[in-house]
Amino acid sequence: MTLFGRTLEGQEIASLVSLLLVLVLWVGVWRGERDWTRWFRSWEAGRKSRRDAERAAENGRDGPAPPGPWS
């Protein structure tokens, strides 16, 4: 097999294949991490909104507490 005018032997071909497999594995792990981070951020936002609603109900208000030191 030739690549860029150079003949590649079996060991070099195996190295290229393993390098490509590691790249595919890395991309898969990165996508999983990105999806997990996205899920966690949405879960945290939902938890915060539920907690704000609970606090508002405890204080006798209908809506979420206003942001700032006066809440």
Side-chain angles (χ1 to χ4, degrees):
M1 175 180 187
T2 58
L3 182 66
F4 300 116
R6 182 168 189 263
T7 302
L8 298 178
E9 297 177 4
Q11 184 179 6
E12 293 169 325
I13 293 171
S15 296
L16 285 174
V17 168
S18 66
L19 183 66
L20 289 173
L21 288 175
V22 167
L23 179 64
V24 168
L25 178 66
W26 184 84
V27 167
V29 168
W30 175 74
R31 288 184 66 198
E33 182 70 22
R34 184 189 61 182
D35 293 342
W36 185 87
T37 303
R38 187 178 296 150
W39 170 83
F40 182 77
R41 286 181 181 159
S42 67
W43 175 81
E44 185 69 20
R47 188 184 70 81
K48 183 180 181 313
S49 66
R50 286 189 302 273
R51 179 64 183 141
D52 289 344
E54 288 175 4
R55 283 186 174 173
E58 289 172 0
N59 293 335
R61 290 185 299 231
D62 291 334
W70 52 84
S71 59

